[in-house]
Amino acid sequence: MPWWKEKRTYRYLFVALLVGLIFYFLYLVRGLLLPFVLAIVLVYLLNPLVERMEKRGSPRVAAILMLYLGVIIVVTSLLMYGVPRMVNQLEKLVETIPTYTDQVEQLINQIQQRFADSAMPPGVQQIVEERITWVELKAMEMVRKAIDLLLGILSNLFYIALAPVLAFYIMKDLKELKQWAISQFPRQCYADVLRLAGEIDQVFTNFVRGHLTVVLIVGVLTSLAFALIGLEFGVMLGIIAGLAELIPYFGPLIGAVPAVALALLQSKWLAVKVIIVVVIIQQLEGNVISPKILGDSIGLHPLAIIVTLLAGGHLFGIAGMLLAVPLAAIARILVKFTWEKLC
């Protein structure tokens, strides 16, 4: 019988069509995926602790509720201490933005005046002035995007608050959900499905737990260091530097730019100290922290990671850079598995 008349061929086509429809549906409701994504992150962070408590004799639901209570106490304490300081820093930043804006405008005017007084050809001067204007516009665009991001977070507070509820039900019935998912495949595929699921789960585990641990450590170290050297808004800039660690290779540079820029507006010596702090922390992160926590967690060549980050950033901005590496690692697993089966 020709392959196009076999039942197996139609079954594969049906599965491919079903997967395509599922992805298309997820694309249509992509605005509603935030609580599910956050819930999955919470599950990866909290489920190992739940399982440890369950092994010690605690009922699973009670373990989850006790863990939630502990998280609420810790988060509330941090918010009670950190939010007033963050609000004070934001208020101070709002008050000092006009001063910083005037300083930046004066610096730009000085640069433009120097180029105007130089003996450069008029065409080159025009190109340089256009580039300076372009940099200024890009800086303003970045500020607007940052404000839009903050407003977007505020507008999604309901979805963010929904994430712990979804995570609770996922963790409560996690074993049943896994068994149900496996049972949807033919028995002869169980071994392959378990292998693929295990490898993909390992990628997510390394990315979520490992990278968030690195983010926390780098954020705390950077905030403390910035506060010690007297940098204004040090805590806020340290948090930005920590979050930027989610982006491999480019993250440290992205996180350092705001701190160096603000320090430069205060004094050149402070900018030098900020650069020294950033270099020291990045050396610790690159040579001590990440190797200990992450190891070779992704399994991709550095060149492949860089290309993936550039592509993700070009297509989807910061969100694309954040998700590009784990998605590329999963794609590598799927391609490798398919190639093995075909060959």
Side-chain angles (χ1 to χ4, degrees):
M1 181 184 296
W3 64 269
W4 60 84
K5 292 184 178 180
E6 293 182 2
K7 276 189 175 181
R8 185 172 58 180
T9 302
Y10 289 106
R11 190 183 300 122
Y12 288 157
L13 289 175
F14 174 74
V15 171
L17 177 62
L18 186 61
V19 170
L21 289 174
I22 291 172
F23 276 105
Y24 181 65
F25 174 75
L26 292 175
Y27 173 77
L28 292 177
V29 299
R30 61 191 181 279
L32 303 176
L33 294 179
L34 178 62
F36 294 95
V37 173
L38 293 177
I40 290 172
V41 171
L42 285 174
V43 170
Y44 269 94
L45 289 174
L46 301 180
N47 190 62
L49 297 175
V50 172
E51 290 182 348
R52 288 183 184 178
M53 295 171 69
E54 192 177 16
K55 288 179 180 177
R56 293 181 179 180
S58 176
R60 189 169 184 83
V61 174
I64 297 171
L65 292 176
M66 285 190 291
L67 193 58
Y68 267 40
L69 179 61
V71 171
I72 290 172
I73 293 173
V74 172
V75 171
T76 303
S77 303
L78 291 174
L79 290 177
M80 290 179 64
Y81 173 76
V83 168
R85 294 177 64 87
M86 289 293 294
V87 170
N88 290 335
Q89 289 200 353
L90 286 172
E91 290 177 351
K92 191 175 180 181
L93 178 61
V94 171
E95 293 174 358
T96 55
I97 278 177
T99 304
Y100 288 147
T101 304
D102 292 339
Q103 292 181 13
V104 173
E105 289 179 353
Q106 292 175 7
L107 180 62
I108 291 173
N109 290 332
Q110 290 175 4
I111 294 173
Q112 289 177 334
Q113 188 62 41
R114 287 181 182 178
F115 281 113
D117 296 339
S118 66
M120 296 172 60
V124 177
Q125 287 186 7
Q126 182 180 356
I127 293 172
V128 172
E129 290 176 0
E130 289 175 355
R131 291 295 93 189
I132 293 173
T133 304
W134 178 83
V135 170
E136 187 177 4
L137 292 174
K138 283 294 182 182
M140 294 301 296
E141 183 181 349
M142 289 176 62
V143 172
R144 291 194 194 97
K145 286 183 177 179
I147 294 172
D148 290 341
L149 178 62
L150 291 174
L151 293 176
I153 292 173
L154 292 175
S155 64
N156 286 296
L157 280 178
F158 171 74
Y159 294 124
I160 295 173
L162 186 61
V165 179
L166 295 174
F168 171 82
Y169 286 106
I170 292 173
M171 283 189 289
K172 183 175 78 71
D173 300 322
L174 188 58
K175 295 178 181 178
E176 291 79 3
L177 289 172
K178 287 181 178 179
Q179 291 174 356
W180 175 84
I182 294 172
S183 67
Q184 302 308 303
F185 295 89
R187 287 188 175 275
Q188 60 268 27
C189 298
Y190 279 8
D192 292 334
V193 170
L194 289 174
R195 173 192 161 190
L196 276 176
E199 292 183 5
I200 293 173
D201 177 71
Q202 189 62 42
V203 169
F204 275 118
T205 299
N206 290 332
F207 185 77
V208 174
R209 298 178 197 161
H211 282 79
L212 288 182
T213 303
V214 173
V215 164
L216 179 63
I217 294 173
V218 172
V220 170
L221 289 177
T222 307
S223 298
L224 291 174
F226 285 168
L228 287 174
I229 64 176
L231 178 64
E232 287 187 303
F233 321 115
V235 175
M236 191 164 52
L237 293 170
I239 293 173
I240 293 172
L243 292 174
E245 288 293 324
L246 287 171
I247 303 174
Y249 297 109
F250 301 110
L253 178 61
I254 295 172
V257 167
V260 175
L262 282 177
L264 193 60
L265 293 175
Q266 296 178 48
S267 73
K268 294 180 180 178
W269 173 236
L270 183 59
V272 172
K273 289 196 286 187
V274 168
I275 293 172
I276 292 172
V277 164
V278 170
V279 170
I280 291 174
I281 291 177
Q282 287 310 312
Q283 289 299 312
L284 284 173
E285 184 270 333
N287 297 305
V288 179
I289 300 172
S290 287
K292 290 286 186 182
I293 296 174
L294 298 177
D296 187 15
S297 60
I298 301 299
L300 293 174
H301 191 276
L303 182 60
I305 293 177
I306 292 173
V307 172
T308 301
L309 288 170
L310 292 175
H314 177 72
L315 294 174
F316 304 106
I318 296 295
M321 296 184 77
L322 290 173
L323 298 175
V325 173
L327 292 179
I330 293 170
R332 181 189 68 85
I333 292 171
L334 295 175
V335 169
K336 181 182 177 182
F337 174 80
T338 306
W339 183 261
E340 289 177 357
K341 290 299 178 183
L342 292 175
C343 298

